[in-house]
Amino acid sequence: MPLMTGAPNLVAVPDPATFKILPWAKRTGFILCDEYFQNGQAMPFSSRGILRQSLVELHQRGLEHIVGLEVEWYLAKLLDPMLAIANVGTSGKPGEPAKVSAVEHSFQYLLESHNPEIHDLLRVLAENLVEMGLPLRSVENEGGAGQFEFTFDPIPALQAADTMMIFRMATKQICRQQGYIASFMCRPGLQGSSSNGWHLHQSLVDQSTGENAFMSANSKSLMSDLGKHFVGGLLKHANAATVFTTPTINGYKRFRSYSLAPDRAGWGLENRGAMIRLYHVR
C-alpha cells in the first residue's frame, strides 16, 4: 500500500471507554487505541477495526455477537531470568530461556489439593483482574503441572476481544512482579505439559427479543437455520482462517489426531474432540 511505503508513523487514537488505572502498577494508566494513517484513513489491518466493522454489519441485521472466553495458560516459578549479556540473544537468534521450576506436583485435573500451593498468587491475580473490570467467572486447575484455566462471563464480542488482550497482559505482568512467569504458548517446552487451549463460546442474540438466535423453534431440529449457516461458514473458512487463529509454528504443534485440538474441520454434538462443539444450555 502506498500509505505504508517507507515505514511511516501511524496515528494511535485512544478509546476513552477502555481507560483503566492499573492496580498493580503505581501511577500507571492503560488505554486501548485504534490505528489510523496520518491522513485519517483507518488502518485496514487493525484487528480491532476489522471486528468493529463486522459487528456493524451484524447489528444492521438485528443481531449481537456474544462471546464467552475460556483460556488456558501455564505458570512457572522463576529461578533465573538468564539476563546476562551472553544469554540475551540478538535479532534472529533468540536468547537463552529463563530457568524455571514447577509450582505444583504431578499431572492431575481439577485436583483441589493443589490449590493451597499457589493460592496466594491466584488470589492476587484474580483480585487485580476484577479491579480492572474484567468479568472473571472461574479459576480452575487444568491438567498440566502449573496449568490453569480462567473463564469469563459471556459478553459482546468487542468487549470480549479487549478482555482477552487485557487479561493476557495483566497475567504476565502480575505473575512476573510476584516472581513467576506466565505463558500462553500453545505447546510450551515444559516436561510432561499438555497443550494450552483457548475455547470461544459463541452465540448470536436477537437484539429485539434478547433470544438466542441459534436455538431452534422446532424441538426436532438441532439448531435454527441461522445457527446452521453460522457453523457452516466457520467450517467453510476454517483452513484459510487458521493463518489468523494459529499464527505461530508452535501453535501448529498442538494439532494432533484424537486430541482436544483436532486436526480437521468438523463439528459434533457435545463432542470435545471436534473443532466445533455444539451444546444447548436452556
Side-chain angles (χ1 to χ4, degrees), residues 90-143:
T90 60
S91 178
K93 184 180 179 181
E96 293 295 323
K99 292 183 178 180
V100 299
S101 66
V103 297
E104 59 184 3
H105 290 89
S106 73
F107 187 93
Q108 299 289 340
Y109 177 59
L110 297 178
L111 185 65
E112 71 280 357
S113 63
H114 283 332
N115 293 343
E117 300 178 49
I118 200 62
H119 172 79
D120 288 344
L121 175 62
L122 293 181
R123 176 182 54 79
V124 171
L125 181 56
E127 289 175 349
N128 278 275
L129 294 177
V130 171
E131 192 170 344
M132 281 286 287
L134 303 189
L136 184 63
R137 180 175 179 269
S138 69
V139 175
E140 304 171 21
N141 191 303
E142 267 293 326

Side-chain angles (χ1 to χ4, degrees), residues 21-222:
I21 297 295
L22 299 184
W24 65 88
K26 292 183 179 179
R27 302 178 64 187
T28 302
F30 168 88
I31 194 167
L32 289 171
C33 298
D34 294 302
E35 300 163 304
Y36 292 84
F37 290 114
Q38 294 182 46
N39 66 357
Q41 179 180 333
M43 175 66 172
F45 308 116
S46 168
S47 55
R48 199 167 187 263
I50 293 172
L51 175 58
R52 183 185 287 109
Q53 181 56 43
S54 297
L55 293 176
V56 168
E57 298 175 12
L58 191 64
H59 294 166
Q60 291 172 348
R61 302 184 184 187
L63 297 169
E64 179 81 31
H65 189 199
I66 302 299
V67 176
L69 297 173
E70 182 179 335
V71 188
E72 297 170 1
W73 57 283
Y74 269 96
L75 179 70
K77 179 69 175 178
L78 180 62
L79 299 179
D80 183 352
M82 299 294 286
L83 292 179
I85 295 298
N87 299 327
V88 296
T90 60
S91 178
K93 184 180 179 181
E96 293 295 323
K99 292 183 178 180
V100 299
S101 66
V103 297
E104 59 184 3
H105 290 89
S106 73
F107 187 93
Q108 299 289 340
Y109 177 59
L110 297 178
L111 185 65
E112 71 280 357
S113 63
H114 283 332
N115 293 343
E117 300 178 49
I118 200 62
H119 172 79
D120 288 344
L121 175 62
L122 293 181
R123 176 182 54 79
V124 171
L125 181 56
E127 289 175 349
N128 278 275
L129 294 177
V130 171
E131 192 170 344
M132 281 286 287
L134 303 189
L136 184 63
R137 180 175 179 269
S138 69
V139 175
E140 304 171 21
N141 191 303
E142 267 293 326
Q147 188 180 35
F148 298 92
E149 177 180 86
F150 280 37
T151 71
F152 297 84
D153 290 335
I155 49 180
L158 183 59
Q159 184 185 352
D162 291 346
T163 292
M164 179 61 201
M165 296 298 294
I166 297 171
F167 166 59
R168 186 172 59 183
M169 174 205 71
T171 300
K172 288 185 175 182
Q173 290 190 11
I174 295 169
C175 290
R176 185 66 178 84
Q177 192 177 72
Q178 299 293 322
Y180 296 83
I181 286 184
S183 175
F184 292 78
M185 183 180 289
C186 290
R187 198 167 182 83
L190 300 173
Q191 180 178 340
S193 66
S194 55
S195 297
N196 280 323
W198 176 10
H199 310 128
L200 289 178
H201 300 268
Q202 304 182 67
S203 60
L204 295 181
V205 172
D206 188 311
Q207 290 181 313
S208 61
T209 66
E211 296 291 328
N212 187 336
F214 287 169
M215 296 294 291
S216 173
N218 182 355
S219 60
K220 296 181 180 180
S221 180
L222 179 64

